[in-house]
């Protein structure tokens, strides 16, 4: 079989069916999110108009515009797709004025950014070199992370780079108000679709099609991966290579389905958005009455639906803790020598502050934090995901998902 895996027609059909199911779920969530956010904005607009009529005119003499400063901070790194094709992403929090974003970027995306913005004073970029270090080593990643942070800081301080449309979008910051609204609708609907599909794993994406495709792949991974893996070679390296090839085949098929459906949805919702907005505007009082009644019904439904959840919550938390406790204890025991080393360095610093560098202690703390996060993500998260699926029948959360949507 080599590095290839033959996916039979039934498997490919099952994958396509799963992709269509995910797309349909997402499209339903998108229309509901669009309606909900249009109604929210209509409420805000009506509230502002009412307040303007009731208040005195503002004296612009004392008005100060909001200061817009661009900032981008790498909060941590995260390992993705450990079971198929592992890679590292850097999680970046960015802000500009009243806009905020959280994006995941791989090292190659930083290279693309560097090539696009060109030379910037003080923007030293950490070029990748052969044998520079293991790409999954915590100390190596910690050092690279600091260099990439310095690179982002220099771009944010540079006026030309900070005002670059490409850089703003790279950071996930919308430039136009319309872009901001559509992004919010998409993220809102993506979150709702993930809850309905029970897919909680975070994943990076740059485009809407990529996000929906990844969502579909996660659904396939959850339900069809054992069936696909059963046909793979037993040798670990050959098995992983074959899984990568299968992943590429499935991804290509799914992306074509998603691209076609999403293009159709975008065209339809353009007209639907106008109709919804006009309906809300022309019948605002009636819509608000319906909204009020709907909220009352939802509160009652949520209360009723939560009763069995509350009764079982202690049992469920106990079962989850029993599952993760041995693994968590092992992680803490494995990392204790590093923790003891940090405590000893702090004690030595208090006794002789001249001969110990505080930077070394900070570096050890950062490495310990990232080692712990990595172990939790790779060892405890899979246990929790498996156990949550097993406990699904106990709490009937599907009903809650429908209520909140």
């Amino acid at each position: 079989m080599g590095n290839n895996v033959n996916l039979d027609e039934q498997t490919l059909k099952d994958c396509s069916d799963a992709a269509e199911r995910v797309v349909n779920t997402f499209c339903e969530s998108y229309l509901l999110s669009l309606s909900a956010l249009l109604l929210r904005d209509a409420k805000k607009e009506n509230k502002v108009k009412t307040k303007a009529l009731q208040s005195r005119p503002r004296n612009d003499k004392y008005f100060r515009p909001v200061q817009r400063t661009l900032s981008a901070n790498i909060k941590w790194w995260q390992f993705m797709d450990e079971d198929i094709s592992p890679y590292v992403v850097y999680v970046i929090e960015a802000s500009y004025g009243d806009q905020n974003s959280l994006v995941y970027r791989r090292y190659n995306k930083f290279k693309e950014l560097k090539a696009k913005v060109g030379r910037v004073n003080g923007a030293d970029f950490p070029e990748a070199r052969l044998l520079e270090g293991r790409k999954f080593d915590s100390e190596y990643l910690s050092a690279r992370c600091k260099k990439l942070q310095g690179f982002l800081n220099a771009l944010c301080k540079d006026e030309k780079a900070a005002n670059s449309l490409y850089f703003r979008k790279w950071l996930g910051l919308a430039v136009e108000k319309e872009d901001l609204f559509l992004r919010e609708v998409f993220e809102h609907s993506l979150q709702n679709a993930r809850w309905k599909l029970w897919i909680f794993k975070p994943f990076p994406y740059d485009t809407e099609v990529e996000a929906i495709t990844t969502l579909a792949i996660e659904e396939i991974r959850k339900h069809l991966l054992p069936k696909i893996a059963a046909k793979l070679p037993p040798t670990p390296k050959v098995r992983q290579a074959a899984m990568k090839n299968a992943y590429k085949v499935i991804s290509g098929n799914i992306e074509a389905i998603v691209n076609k459906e999403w293009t159709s949805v975008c065209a339809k919702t353009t007209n639907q958005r106008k109709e919804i907005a006009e309906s809300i505007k022309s019948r605002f009082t009636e819509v608000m009455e319906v909204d009020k009644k709907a909220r009352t019904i939802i509160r009652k439904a949520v209360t009723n639906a939560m009763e069995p959840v509350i009764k079982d919550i202690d049992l469920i938390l106990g079962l989850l803790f029993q599952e993760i406790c041995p693994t968590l204890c092992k992680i803490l025991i494995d990392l204790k020598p590093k923790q003891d080393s940090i405590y000893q360095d702090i004690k030595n610093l208090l006794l002789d502050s001249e001969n110990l560098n505080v930077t070394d202690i900070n570096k050890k703390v950062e490495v310990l934090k990232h080692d712990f996060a990595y172990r939790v993500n790779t060892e405890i998260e899979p246990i929790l995901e498996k156990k949550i699926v097993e406990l699904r029948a106990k709490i009937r959360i599907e009903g809650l998902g429908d209520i909140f949507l």
Side-chain angles (χ1 to χ4, degrees):
M1 187 180 291
N3 290 347
N4 296 315
V5 56
N6 295 320
L7 299 175
D8 56 61
E9 291 185 8
Q10 185 58 47
T11 302
L12 291 173
K13 183 179 182 302
D14 290 341
C15 292
S16 297
D17 292 343
E20 289 178 2
R21 183 170 64 251
V22 169
V23 171
N24 290 335
T25 300
F26 179 83
C27 292
E28 290 172 5
S29 297
Y30 189 82
L31 184 57
L32 290 169
S33 297
L34 179 64
S35 302
L37 294 181
L38 284 172
L39 179 58
R40 180 206 64 185
D41 289 352
K43 289 180 185 176
K44 286 183 179 179
E45 186 179 347
N46 185 69
K47 188 175 181 179
V48 169
K49 287 180 180 178
T50 303
K51 189 175 181 180
L53 292 172
Q54 294 174 349
S55 61
R56 293 178 299 174
R58 184 182 66 187
N59 188 346
D60 289 338
K61 177 182 177 181
Y62 301 103
F63 175 70
R64 295 290 182 273
V66 177
Q67 294 296 321
R68 293 180 173 270
T69 303
L70 182 65
S71 67
N73 298 304
I74 301 176
K75 305 305 291 183
W76 66 87
W77 67 76
Q78 187 166 330
F79 296 98
M80 309 294 291
D81 280 351
E82 292 93 345
D83 55 341
I84 297 178
S85 181
Y87 62 92
V88 176
V89 293
Y90 299 89
V91 184
I92 306 168
E93 280 186 354
S95 65
Y96 180 68
D98 57 354
Q99 294 184 29
N100 297 283
S101 68
L102 182 72
V103 294
Y104 297 75
R105 293 288 180 259
R106 297 181 68 169
Y107 174 75
N108 286 341
K109 290 295 180 182
F110 281 90
K111 290 179 67 176
E112 291 175 9
L113 174 63
K114 175 180 176 289
K116 195 73 176 179
V117 298
R119 183 180 292 276
V120 174
N121 290 333
D124 296 327
F125 188 80
E127 298 288 354
R129 297 181 178 87
L130 290 175
L131 306 178
E132 181 183 14
R134 292 180 299 166
K135 63 180 180 180
F136 297 130
D137 180 76
S138 294
E139 292 189 12
Y140 172 73
L141 289 171
S142 181
R144 172 174 276 187
C145 191
K146 288 180 180 178
K147 292 177 182 178
L148 291 174
Q149 181 63 65
F151 172 70
L152 290 179
N153 290 342
L155 296 189
C156 289
K157 290 177 183 177
D158 185 84
E159 185 177 355
K160 183 179 178 182
N163 290 322
S164 165
L165 177 63
Y166 181 87
F167 185 34
R168 297 268 188 87
K169 289 192 173 183
W170 190 92
L171 291 172
L173 297 169
V175 179
E176 301 293 337
K177 186 176 180 181
E178 179 68 11
D179 294 337
L180 186 62
F181 176 78
L182 292 176
R183 188 185 73 182
E184 187 177 10
V185 172
F186 184 85
E187 291 177 351
H188 189 273
S189 54
L190 181 63
Q191 184 63 32
N192 286 340
R194 288 175 63 168
W195 273 97
K196 291 196 77 172
L197 295 166
W198 277 71
I199 297 174
F200 308 115
K201 179 182 176 182
F203 52 79
Y205 66 90
D206 289 321
T207 65
E208 289 89 348
V209 170
E210 185 181 356
I212 304 170
T213 300
T214 305
L215 196 65
I217 290 172
E218 290 300 322
E219 179 75 358
I220 290 169
R221 189 198 299 260
K222 187 169 62 173
H223 295 290
L224 299 175
L225 185 60
K227 180 180 177 181
I228 296 171
K231 300 178 181 180
L232 300 181
T235 310
K237 287 187 177 180
V238 178
R239 185 182 181 86
Q240 187 177 34
M243 180 59 82
K244 285 183 182 180
N245 288 333
Y247 182 85
K248 288 179 182 178
V249 172
I250 293 170
S251 297
N253 291 343
I254 291 173
E255 188 170 352
I257 294 171
V258 171
N259 196 31
K260 179 182 177 182
E261 294 296 326
W262 178 240
T263 302
S264 175
V265 168
C266 289
K268 290 178 182 177
T269 52
T270 300
N271 295 327
Q272 288 176 326
R273 178 181 174 181
K274 293 178 182 178
E275 294 173 3
I276 294 169
E278 289 173 2
S279 177
I280 292 174
K281 186 176 180 180
S282 61
R283 305 172 63 184
F284 184 76
T285 304
E286 295 177 43
V287 171
M288 290 305 297
E289 284 294 324
V290 172
D291 181 64
K292 185 177 179 181
K293 291 178 181 178
R295 287 176 179 275
T296 303
I297 294 171
I298 288 173
R299 286 194 198 97
K300 290 181 180 179
V302 169
T303 301
N304 293 334
M306 284 298 292
E307 284 183 3
V309 178
I310 294 171
K311 289 179 181 178
D312 290 338
I313 197 71
D314 289 337
L315 172 63
I316 292 167
L317 290 176
L319 291 171
L320 288 176
F321 184 73
Q322 287 176 16
E323 288 291 322
I324 67 170
C325 188
T327 305
L328 182 59
C329 289
K330 184 178 184 303
I331 292 173
L332 294 175
I333 291 170
D334 291 346
L335 296 179
K336 192 174 187 303
K338 290 186 178 181
Q339 184 183 21
D340 292 342
S341 174
I342 293 171
Y343 286 153
Q344 187 61 47
D345 287 348
I346 294 173
K347 189 182 292 185
N348 294 339
L349 179 65
L350 295 174
L351 296 174
D352 185 7
S353 59
E354 294 182 359
N355 296 324
L356 194 64
N357 192 343
V358 178
T359 305
D360 293 336
I361 298 178
N362 290 334
K363 183 178 180 181
K364 286 185 177 182
V365 171
E366 288 299 316
V367 170
L368 179 61
K369 283 165 59 179
H370 284 96
D371 284 350
F372 181 74
Y374 172 70
R375 295 285 297 274
V376 168
N377 289 337
T378 56
E379 297 177 34
I380 292 182
E381 185 178 336
I383 295 173
L384 286 175
E385 286 181 351
K386 181 181 178 182
K387 197 63 183 176
I388 286 172
V389 172
E390 292 175 2
L391 293 171
R392 184 175 179 178
K394 288 182 178 293
I395 55 178
R396 304 298 178 195
I397 203 71
E398 303 95 327
L400 287 177
D402 292 334
I403 289 169
F404 287 128
L405 291 178

